[in-house]
Amino acid sequence: MSARNLHLWHPFTQEGADPAPLRIRRAEGVYLETDDGGQILDAISSWWVNLHGHAHPAIAAAIAEQAKRLEHVLFAGFSHEPAEELAWRLGKIVPPALQHIFFSDDGSTAVEVALKMAVQFWRNIGRPEKCRIVALEHAYHGDTVGAMSVSDDSAFTDAFGALRLPILRAHSAYCARCPVGRERATCHIECLESLERLLNERGQEIAAVIVEPLLQGAGGMIVHPEEFLSGIRRLTGEHEVLLIADEVLTGFGRTGRMFACDRAGVVPDLLCVAKGLTGGFLPLAATLATDRVYDAFAGPDRSRTFFHGHSYSANPIACAAANANLKIFETEPVFERIAAIEKTHAARLAGFAKHPAVRDVRQIGTVAAIELDVPDAGYLSSLRPLLYNFYLNRGVLLRPLGNVIYLLPPYVITSSQLNFAYEVIQDSLALVSNVPGGTSAMKSQASTAS
Ligand SMILES: Cc1ncc(COP(=O)(O)O)c(C=O)c1O
């Protein structure tokens, strides 16, 4: 069947501007196989969801088994073994303070749940005036209306100003473009002062601060110092404001620890997980809460109920996939693989840092980013389509965020596969000189990246 007859409307895709979607017929490990038998190295884990490789047999088998036993039952008034096992498995790996788990469908809904829980929490304990949310510059939390509101203004949100909720905005720790003009080597995290001012002036009306801990993803793979995150936790605690950690991207090992918050010794009040939860097989998300938050919703008073749910909340097949996914952390050397990726990233990025087309390189755990120096920096940079097509022609799936190239591979990638992706990126840097006003040094200097 030809894709032309199907009238599929693809996400983040514009017919007439973007190339026709590629048809994929199967996938295994880090490779996608196209209809004509071509292989594409998936260096971004299919939008950051895949952990242990495509079509991992253990997850596939768990899904098949569960589908034969119980495919679905509504989760209001009912429960089931796969959800209970998943609650137990998640409970073992999240901070012990976060033992109340609310299931939803994807990253955006996990964020919606957290925002609504935070606002209702304060209402339920008699402080309804605490209803504003603070989010960071460069944030991305999803595409539903609440999640899009806490995301920063961007090409993604431009059309929807009329729908977005009013949000208070604080600086991000974007060290390569420091919002307060400091240098990381000598700064004292002065970027935190804008949040401190907001909390001092308006803490009485603020319900929560939401952050992507240590790594802002779609905003440009911006890596924050750990002190920035621990500083946010300290300030929110001092000002009686909840901290929502959106670990939709960073969860399940991406940053080198199970959760990014672990790296900074931070325990949030609400934690959002999705993407890697099922190893990239099925949509499933969870928002985890502390006793303090949960207790505000308990009791005989009906008005304290959390009136939120989705048809497929805690779908048993998705929970079975998640259980099989988390078991793989126990049965396979996942953190050894993660350490190997970290090592290759560090070695390769050091070479790119010296390249004249490169403004900054960043890394946290298995995520590496190379920010290129172009005059039209940003998601709609004219360099982006050139890079994207170049990579696909060379058999590598990379989706630069404008002028920011990043790698976020499945953990099963070998060092030779990862090095191959780096070789292709290195070759692509010559494209910068094709962009009007692209780094002039590019024209005279050969590539120095290794
Ligand atoms: C940090 C973060 N939060 C939320 C989301 C939204 O997740 P989903 O696309 O599953 O709705 C994303 C997606 O990229 C994300 O990176």
Short mmCIF file of all heavy atoms in Angstrom, two decimals, residues 51-111:
data_model
loop_
_atom_site.label_atom_id
_atom_site.label_comp_id
_atom_site.label_asym_id
_atom_site.label_seq_id
_atom_site.Cartn_x
_atom_site.Cartn_y
_atom_site.Cartn_z
N LEU A 51 15.23 1.95 25.16
CA LEU A 51 16.36 1.80 26.08
C LEU A 51 17.28 0.65 25.68
O LEU A 51 18.48 0.80 25.59
CB LEU A 51 15.88 1.53 27.52
CG LEU A 51 14.99 2.56 28.21
CD1 LEU A 51 14.79 2.15 29.67
CD2 LEU A 51 15.59 3.95 28.15
N HIS A 52 16.70 -0.53 25.49
CA HIS A 52 17.52 -1.75 25.37
C HIS A 52 17.56 -2.31 23.96
O HIS A 52 17.84 -3.49 23.75
CB HIS A 52 16.97 -2.83 26.32
CG HIS A 52 16.74 -2.35 27.72
ND1 HIS A 52 17.76 -1.85 28.50
CD2 HIS A 52 15.61 -2.26 28.46
CE1 HIS A 52 17.26 -1.50 29.68
NE2 HIS A 52 15.96 -1.72 29.68
N GLY A 53 17.24 -1.47 22.98
CA GLY A 53 17.25 -1.92 21.59
C GLY A 53 15.83 -2.20 21.11
O GLY A 53 14.94 -2.54 21.91
N HIS A 54 15.63 -2.08 19.80
CA HIS A 54 14.30 -2.31 19.23
C HIS A 54 13.95 -3.80 19.30
O HIS A 54 14.82 -4.67 19.15
CB HIS A 54 14.28 -1.84 17.77
CG HIS A 54 14.27 -0.35 17.64
ND1 HIS A 54 13.11 0.39 17.71
CD2 HIS A 54 15.27 0.56 17.49
CE1 HIS A 54 13.39 1.69 17.57
NE2 HIS A 54 14.70 1.81 17.44
N ALA A 55 12.66 -4.04 19.48
CA ALA A 55 12.10 -5.40 19.45
C ALA A 55 12.81 -6.35 20.42
O ALA A 55 13.04 -7.53 20.10
CB ALA A 55 12.12 -5.95 18.02
N HIS A 56 13.17 -5.84 21.59
CA HIS A 56 13.83 -6.71 22.57
C HIS A 56 12.91 -7.90 22.85
O HIS A 56 11.75 -7.73 23.23
CB HIS A 56 14.10 -5.93 23.86
CG HIS A 56 15.01 -6.68 24.79
ND1 HIS A 56 14.63 -7.85 25.41
CD2 HIS A 56 16.29 -6.43 25.19
CE1 HIS A 56 15.64 -8.29 26.16
NE2 HIS A 56 16.66 -7.45 26.04
N PRO A 57 13.42 -9.14 22.71
CA PRO A 57 12.53 -10.31 22.80
C PRO A 57 11.83 -10.44 24.15
O PRO A 57 10.69 -10.92 24.20
CB PRO A 57 13.46 -11.51 22.52
CG PRO A 57 14.83 -10.96 22.34
CD PRO A 57 14.79 -9.47 22.33
N ALA A 58 12.48 -10.06 25.24
CA ALA A 58 11.85 -10.25 26.56
C ALA A 58 10.63 -9.34 26.71
O ALA A 58 9.60 -9.74 27.27
CB ALA A 58 12.87 -9.96 27.67
N ILE A 59 10.72 -8.12 26.19
CA ILE A 59 9.57 -7.21 26.29
C ILE A 59 8.48 -7.66 25.33
O ILE A 59 7.29 -7.69 25.68
CB ILE A 59 10.00 -5.75 26.03
CG1 ILE A 59 11.13 -5.35 26.98
CG2 ILE A 59 8.80 -4.80 26.20
CD1 ILE A 59 11.68 -3.94 26.77
N ALA A 60 8.88 -8.07 24.14
CA ALA A 60 7.90 -8.54 23.16
C ALA A 60 7.14 -9.75 23.71
O ALA A 60 5.90 -9.83 23.60
CB ALA A 60 8.60 -8.90 21.85
N ALA A 61 7.84 -10.66 24.37
CA ALA A 61 7.18 -11.86 24.91
C ALA A 61 6.23 -11.49 26.05
O ALA A 61 5.12 -12.03 26.14
CB ALA A 61 8.26 -12.84 25.41
N ALA A 62 6.65 -10.56 26.90
CA ALA A 62 5.79 -10.16 28.03
C ALA A 62 4.49 -9.55 27.52
O ALA A 62 3.41 -9.78 28.07
CB ALA A 62 6.55 -9.17 28.92
N ILE A 63 4.60 -8.78 26.46
CA ILE A 63 3.41 -8.14 25.88
C ILE A 63 2.47 -9.23 25.33
O ILE A 63 1.26 -9.21 25.59
CB ILE A 63 3.83 -7.16 24.76
CG1 ILE A 63 4.49 -5.92 25.38
CG2 ILE A 63 2.65 -6.76 23.89
CD1 ILE A 63 5.11 -4.98 24.38
N ALA A 64 3.03 -10.18 24.61
CA ALA A 64 2.21 -11.24 24.01
C ALA A 64 1.50 -12.04 25.09
O ALA A 64 0.30 -12.33 25.00
CB ALA A 64 3.09 -12.15 23.14
N GLU A 65 2.24 -12.40 26.14
CA GLU A 65 1.66 -13.18 27.24
C GLU A 65 0.51 -12.42 27.91
O GLU A 65 -0.56 -12.97 28.16
CB GLU A 65 2.74 -13.46 28.30
CG GLU A 65 3.53 -14.71 28.04
CD GLU A 65 2.62 -15.89 27.75
OE1 GLU A 65 1.79 -16.23 28.61
OE2 GLU A 65 2.70 -16.45 26.62
N GLN A 66 0.76 -11.15 28.21
CA GLN A 66 -0.24 -10.35 28.93
C GLN A 66 -1.49 -10.16 28.06
O GLN A 66 -2.62 -10.22 28.57
CB GLN A 66 0.34 -8.99 29.33
CG GLN A 66 -0.60 -8.15 30.16
CD GLN A 66 -1.05 -8.85 31.44
OE1 GLN A 66 -0.24 -9.45 32.14
NE2 GLN A 66 -2.35 -8.81 31.72
N ALA A 67 -1.29 -9.98 26.77
CA ALA A 67 -2.43 -9.75 25.87
C ALA A 67 -3.39 -10.95 25.87
O ALA A 67 -4.60 -10.79 25.68
CB ALA A 67 -1.94 -9.45 24.46
N LYS A 68 -2.85 -12.13 26.12
CA LYS A 68 -3.71 -13.33 26.11
C LYS A 68 -4.50 -13.46 27.41
O LYS A 68 -5.50 -14.14 27.46
CB LYS A 68 -2.83 -14.58 25.92
CG LYS A 68 -2.32 -14.73 24.49
CD LYS A 68 -1.54 -16.03 24.34
CE LYS A 68 -0.11 -15.74 23.95
NZ LYS A 68 0.83 -16.81 24.16
N ARG A 69 -3.98 -12.82 28.50
CA ARG A 69 -4.61 -13.00 29.82
C ARG A 69 -5.60 -11.90 30.15
O ARG A 69 -6.75 -12.14 30.49
CB ARG A 69 -3.51 -13.03 30.88
CG ARG A 69 -3.47 -14.31 31.66
CD ARG A 69 -2.60 -14.30 32.88
NE ARG A 69 -1.53 -13.33 32.93
CZ ARG A 69 -0.29 -13.54 32.50
NH1 ARG A 69 0.03 -14.71 31.95
NH2 ARG A 69 0.62 -12.61 32.62
N LEU A 70 -5.15 -10.67 30.10
CA LEU A 70 -6.01 -9.51 30.42
C LEU A 70 -5.50 -8.34 29.61
O LEU A 70 -4.41 -7.83 29.88
CB LEU A 70 -5.93 -9.18 31.92
CG LEU A 70 -6.60 -7.88 32.34
CD1 LEU A 70 -8.11 -7.93 32.16
CD2 LEU A 70 -6.27 -7.52 33.79
N GLU A 71 -6.26 -7.95 28.61
CA GLU A 71 -5.78 -6.88 27.74
C GLU A 71 -6.03 -5.50 28.35
O GLU A 71 -5.21 -4.60 28.26
CB GLU A 71 -6.40 -7.01 26.33
CG GLU A 71 -7.75 -6.35 26.10
CD GLU A 71 -8.89 -6.87 26.98
OE1 GLU A 71 -8.69 -7.88 27.69
OE2 GLU A 71 -9.98 -6.28 26.97
N HIS A 72 -7.19 -5.37 29.03
CA HIS A 72 -7.47 -4.08 29.65
C HIS A 72 -8.66 -4.17 30.59
O HIS A 72 -9.57 -4.99 30.38
CB HIS A 72 -7.75 -2.99 28.59
CG HIS A 72 -7.83 -1.61 29.19
ND1 HIS A 72 -6.76 -1.04 29.85
CD2 HIS A 72 -8.84 -0.72 29.29
CE1 HIS A 72 -7.10 0.15 30.30
NE2 HIS A 72 -8.36 0.37 29.99
N VAL A 73 -8.61 -3.37 31.61
CA VAL A 73 -9.78 -3.15 32.46
C VAL A 73 -9.65 -1.72 32.98
O VAL A 73 -8.53 -1.24 33.20
CB VAL A 73 -9.85 -4.17 33.63
CG1 VAL A 73 -8.62 -4.07 34.54
CG2 VAL A 73 -11.12 -3.97 34.44
N LEU A 74 -10.77 -1.05 33.14
CA LEU A 74 -10.67 0.33 33.65
C LEU A 74 -9.98 0.31 35.01
O LEU A 74 -10.07 -0.67 35.75
CB LEU A 74 -12.05 0.99 33.75
CG LEU A 74 -12.99 0.53 34.86
CD1 LEU A 74 -14.14 1.53 35.00
CD2 LEU A 74 -13.52 -0.85 34.60
N PHE A 75 -9.29 1.39 35.32
CA PHE A 75 -8.46 1.40 36.54
C PHE A 75 -9.16 2.13 37.69
O PHE A 75 -8.60 2.22 38.78
CB PHE A 75 -7.10 2.03 36.22
CG PHE A 75 -6.00 1.52 37.11
CD1 PHE A 75 -5.72 0.16 37.22
CD2 PHE A 75 -5.22 2.41 37.85
CE1 PHE A 75 -4.70 -0.31 38.04
CE2 PHE A 75 -4.20 1.95 38.68
CZ PHE A 75 -3.94 0.58 38.76
N ALA A 76 -10.34 2.65 37.46
CA ALA A 76 -11.11 3.25 38.56
C ALA A 76 -11.97 2.14 39.16
O ALA A 76 -12.78 1.53 38.47
CB ALA A 76 -12.00 4.38 38.04
N GLY A 77 -11.74 1.84 40.42
CA GLY A 77 -12.51 0.78 41.07
C GLY A 77 -11.96 -0.61 40.81
O GLY A 77 -12.49 -1.59 41.31
N PHE A 78 -10.92 -0.74 39.99
CA PHE A 78 -10.31 -2.04 39.69
C PHE A 78 -8.79 -1.93 39.76
O PHE A 78 -8.23 -0.84 39.63
CB PHE A 78 -10.74 -2.54 38.30
CG PHE A 78 -12.21 -2.84 38.22
CD1 PHE A 78 -13.12 -1.85 37.92
CD2 PHE A 78 -12.67 -4.13 38.49
CE1 PHE A 78 -14.48 -2.12 37.88
CE2 PHE A 78 -14.03 -4.41 38.44
CZ PHE A 78 -14.95 -3.41 38.14
N SER A 79 -8.17 -3.07 39.95
CA SER A 79 -6.71 -3.10 39.93
C SER A 79 -6.27 -4.41 39.27
O SER A 79 -7.11 -5.23 38.91
CB SER A 79 -6.16 -3.01 41.37
OG SER A 79 -4.77 -2.81 41.33
N HIS A 80 -4.97 -4.57 39.06
CA HIS A 80 -4.49 -5.83 38.47
C HIS A 80 -3.02 -6.02 38.77
O HIS A 80 -2.31 -5.08 39.15
CB HIS A 80 -4.78 -5.89 36.96
CG HIS A 80 -4.39 -4.66 36.20
ND1 HIS A 80 -3.09 -4.34 35.92
CD2 HIS A 80 -5.15 -3.66 35.68
CE1 HIS A 80 -3.06 -3.21 35.24
NE2 HIS A 80 -4.30 -2.76 35.09
N GLU A 81 -2.61 -7.26 38.58
CA GLU A 81 -1.25 -7.67 38.95
C GLU A 81 -0.16 -6.88 38.21
O GLU A 81 0.79 -6.42 38.84
CB GLU A 81 -1.14 -9.17 38.68
CG GLU A 81 -0.27 -9.91 39.66
CD GLU A 81 1.14 -10.00 39.16
OE1 GLU A 81 1.29 -10.07 37.92
OE2 GLU A 81 2.08 -9.97 39.98
N PRO A 82 -0.26 -6.69 36.87
CA PRO A 82 0.84 -5.97 36.20
C PRO A 82 1.05 -4.56 36.76
O PRO A 82 2.19 -4.12 36.90
CB PRO A 82 0.40 -5.92 34.73
CG PRO A 82 -0.57 -7.04 34.58
CD PRO A 82 -1.25 -7.20 35.90
N ALA A 83 -0.04 -3.86 37.11
CA ALA A 83 0.12 -2.50 37.67
C ALA A 83 0.73 -2.58 39.06
O ALA A 83 1.59 -1.76 39.42
CB ALA A 83 -1.24 -1.80 37.73
N GLU A 84 0.29 -3.57 39.85
CA GLU A 84 0.84 -3.69 41.21
C GLU A 84 2.32 -4.05 41.17
O GLU A 84 3.13 -3.51 41.92
CB GLU A 84 0.02 -4.70 42.01
CG GLU A 84 -1.34 -4.12 42.38
CD GLU A 84 -2.40 -5.17 42.72
OE1 GLU A 84 -2.04 -6.37 42.90
OE2 GLU A 84 -3.58 -4.79 42.78
N GLU A 85 2.66 -4.97 40.25
CA GLU A 85 4.09 -5.32 40.12
C GLU A 85 4.90 -4.08 39.69
O GLU A 85 6.00 -3.83 40.19
CB GLU A 85 4.28 -6.44 39.09
CG GLU A 85 5.75 -6.82 38.95
CD GLU A 85 6.01 -7.90 37.89
OE1 GLU A 85 5.10 -8.70 37.60
OE2 GLU A 85 7.15 -7.92 37.37
N LEU A 86 4.32 -3.30 38.78
CA LEU A 86 5.05 -2.12 38.29
C LEU A 86 5.22 -1.08 39.41
O LEU A 86 6.28 -0.46 39.55
CB LEU A 86 4.34 -1.52 37.08
CG LEU A 86 5.00 -0.30 36.46
CD1 LEU A 86 6.48 -0.54 36.14
CD2 LEU A 86 4.26 0.12 35.19
N ALA A 87 4.18 -0.92 40.22
CA ALA A 87 4.29 0.00 41.36
C ALA A 87 5.42 -0.46 42.28
O ALA A 87 6.23 0.34 42.76
CB ALA A 87 2.97 0.05 42.12
N TRP A 88 5.49 -1.77 42.50
CA TRP A 88 6.54 -2.32 43.35
C TRP A 88 7.92 -2.11 42.72
O TRP A 88 8.86 -1.67 43.38
CB TRP A 88 6.24 -3.82 43.56
CG TRP A 88 7.33 -4.56 44.26
CD1 TRP A 88 7.65 -4.50 45.59
CD2 TRP A 88 8.24 -5.49 43.66
NE1 TRP A 88 8.72 -5.33 45.85
CE2 TRP A 88 9.09 -5.96 44.69
CE3 TRP A 88 8.42 -5.98 42.37
CZ2 TRP A 88 10.12 -6.87 44.45
CZ3 TRP A 88 9.43 -6.90 42.14
CH2 TRP A 88 10.27 -7.34 43.17
N ARG A 89 8.01 -2.36 41.41
CA ARG A 89 9.31 -2.20 40.73
C ARG A 89 9.76 -0.74 40.71
O ARG A 89 10.93 -0.43 40.93
CB ARG A 89 9.24 -2.72 39.29
CG ARG A 89 9.19 -4.21 39.19
CD ARG A 89 9.37 -4.74 37.78
NE ARG A 89 9.34 -6.18 37.83
CZ ARG A 89 10.37 -6.94 38.20
NH1 ARG A 89 11.52 -6.39 38.50
NH2 ARG A 89 10.25 -8.25 38.25
N LEU A 90 8.82 0.15 40.43
CA LEU A 90 9.19 1.58 40.43
C LEU A 90 9.54 2.04 41.84
O LEU A 90 10.49 2.79 42.05
CB LEU A 90 8.04 2.43 39.88
CG LEU A 90 7.91 2.50 38.36
CD1 LEU A 90 6.60 3.17 37.95
CD2 LEU A 90 9.09 3.25 37.74
N GLY A 91 8.75 1.54 42.80
CA GLY A 91 9.00 1.91 44.20
C GLY A 91 10.42 1.59 44.65
O GLY A 91 10.99 2.28 45.49
N LYS A 92 11.00 0.53 44.05
CA LYS A 92 12.38 0.13 44.44
C LYS A 92 13.43 1.07 43.89
O LYS A 92 14.53 1.15 44.41
CB LYS A 92 12.67 -1.28 43.91
CG LYS A 92 11.98 -2.38 44.66
CD LYS A 92 12.62 -3.73 44.35
CE LYS A 92 12.55 -4.12 42.88
NZ LYS A 92 13.19 -5.39 42.55
N ILE A 93 13.12 1.76 42.78
CA ILE A 93 14.18 2.54 42.13
C ILE A 93 14.03 4.05 42.30
O ILE A 93 14.97 4.79 42.05
CB ILE A 93 14.32 2.18 40.62
CG1 ILE A 93 13.01 2.40 39.86
CG2 ILE A 93 14.84 0.77 40.45
CD1 ILE A 93 13.13 2.20 38.35
N VAL A 94 12.84 4.51 42.70
CA VAL A 94 12.68 5.97 42.92
C VAL A 94 13.04 6.27 44.37
O VAL A 94 13.13 5.36 45.19
CB VAL A 94 11.23 6.43 42.63
CG1 VAL A 94 10.88 6.23 41.16
CG2 VAL A 94 10.23 5.74 43.54
N PRO A 95 13.26 7.55 44.70
CA PRO A 95 13.52 7.89 46.11
C PRO A 95 12.39 7.36 46.99
O PRO A 95 11.21 7.42 46.60
CB PRO A 95 13.56 9.42 46.10
CG PRO A 95 13.91 9.80 44.70
CD PRO A 95 13.31 8.72 43.82
N PRO A 96 12.74 6.84 48.18
CA PRO A 96 11.72 6.22 49.05
C PRO A 96 10.57 7.16 49.40
O PRO A 96 9.49 6.68 49.72
CB PRO A 96 12.51 5.84 50.31
CG PRO A 96 13.94 5.89 49.92
CD PRO A 96 14.09 6.75 48.71
N ALA A 97 10.78 8.46 49.31
CA ALA A 97 9.70 9.40 49.67
C ALA A 97 8.57 9.41 48.64
O ALA A 97 7.48 9.91 48.93
CB ALA A 97 10.27 10.80 49.82
N LEU A 98 8.83 8.85 47.44
CA LEU A 98 7.83 8.94 46.36
C LEU A 98 7.14 7.59 46.17
O LEU A 98 7.49 6.83 45.28
CB LEU A 98 8.52 9.37 45.07
CG LEU A 98 9.07 10.79 45.08
CD1 LEU A 98 10.14 10.97 44.02
CD2 LEU A 98 7.95 11.80 44.86
N GLN A 99 6.18 7.29 47.00
CA GLN A 99 5.60 5.95 46.97
C GLN A 99 4.13 5.92 46.53
O GLN A 99 3.45 4.93 46.73
CB GLN A 99 5.78 5.27 48.33
CG GLN A 99 7.25 4.99 48.66
CD GLN A 99 7.93 3.99 47.73
OE1 GLN A 99 7.37 2.96 47.39
NE2 GLN A 99 9.14 4.30 47.26
N HIS A 100 3.63 7.01 45.96
CA HIS A 100 2.26 7.01 45.47
C HIS A 100 2.29 7.24 43.96
O HIS A 100 2.81 8.25 43.50
CB HIS A 100 1.43 8.09 46.17
CG HIS A 100 1.42 7.89 47.66
ND1 HIS A 100 0.58 7.01 48.29
CD2 HIS A 100 2.20 8.43 48.62
CE1 HIS A 100 0.82 7.02 49.58
NE2 HIS A 100 1.81 7.87 49.81
N ILE A 101 1.75 6.28 43.23
CA ILE A 101 1.96 6.27 41.78
C ILE A 101 0.63 6.42 41.04
O ILE A 101 -0.29 5.63 41.26
CB ILE A 101 2.65 4.95 41.37
CG1 ILE A 101 4.01 4.87 42.06
CG2 ILE A 101 2.79 4.86 39.86
CD1 ILE A 101 4.77 3.61 41.78
N PHE A 102 0.57 7.41 40.20
CA PHE A 102 -0.64 7.67 39.39
C PHE A 102 -0.28 7.46 37.93
O PHE A 102 0.58 8.16 37.38
CB PHE A 102 -1.11 9.11 39.63
CG PHE A 102 -2.47 9.38 39.07
CD1 PHE A 102 -3.61 9.30 39.86
CD2 PHE A 102 -2.62 9.72 37.73
CE1 PHE A 102 -4.88 9.54 39.34
CE2 PHE A 102 -3.89 9.96 37.19
CZ PHE A 102 -5.02 9.87 38.00
N PHE A 103 -0.96 6.51 37.27
CA PHE A 103 -0.61 6.19 35.89
C PHE A 103 -1.36 7.07 34.89
O PHE A 103 -2.51 7.43 35.11
CB PHE A 103 -0.93 4.73 35.59
CG PHE A 103 0.03 3.76 36.23
CD1 PHE A 103 -0.36 2.97 37.29
CD2 PHE A 103 1.34 3.68 35.78
CE1 PHE A 103 0.54 2.08 37.89
CE2 PHE A 103 2.25 2.81 36.37
CZ PHE A 103 1.84 2.01 37.43
N SER A 104 -0.68 7.39 33.80
CA SER A 104 -1.34 8.04 32.66
C SER A 104 -0.68 7.51 31.38
O SER A 104 -0.12 6.40 31.42
CB SER A 104 -1.26 9.57 32.78
OG SER A 104 0.09 9.99 32.81
N ASP A 105 -0.74 8.27 30.31
CA ASP A 105 -0.45 7.67 29.00
C ASP A 105 0.89 8.02 28.35
O ASP A 105 1.43 7.25 27.57
CB ASP A 105 -1.53 8.08 27.99
CG ASP A 105 -2.91 7.60 28.41
OD1 ASP A 105 -2.99 6.74 29.30
OD2 ASP A 105 -3.91 8.09 27.85
N ASP A 106 1.36 9.23 28.58
CA ASP A 106 2.59 9.66 27.90
C ASP A 106 3.20 10.82 28.69
O ASP A 106 2.66 11.22 29.73
CB ASP A 106 2.32 10.07 26.44
CG ASP A 106 1.17 11.05 26.36
OD1 ASP A 106 1.10 11.95 27.21
OD2 ASP A 106 0.35 10.91 25.43
N GLY A 107 4.29 11.35 28.18
CA GLY A 107 4.99 12.39 28.94
C GLY A 107 4.12 13.60 29.20
O GLY A 107 4.11 14.16 30.30
N SER A 108 3.37 14.01 28.19
CA SER A 108 2.53 15.21 28.35
C SER A 108 1.47 14.99 29.43
O SER A 108 1.22 15.87 30.25
CB SER A 108 1.85 15.56 27.03
OG SER A 108 2.80 15.77 26.03
N THR A 109 0.86 13.82 29.44
CA THR A 109 -0.19 13.59 30.44
C THR A 109 0.42 13.44 31.83
O THR A 109 -0.21 13.83 32.82
CB THR A 109 -1.07 12.37 30.09
OG1 THR A 109 -0.25 11.24 29.86
CG2 THR A 109 -1.94 12.64 28.88
N ALA A 110 1.62 12.88 31.93
CA ALA A 110 2.27 12.80 33.24
C ALA A 110 2.50 14.21 33.80
O ALA A 110 2.36 14.45 35.00
CB ALA A 110 3.61 12.06 33.13
N VAL A 111 2.82 15.15 32.90
CA VAL A 111 3.04 16.54 33.32
C VAL A 111 1.70 17.19 33.68
O VAL A 111 1.58 17.86 34.71
CB VAL A 111 3.76 17.33 32.20
CG1 VAL A 111 3.72 18.83 32.46
CG2 VAL A 111 5.21 16.85 32.07
#
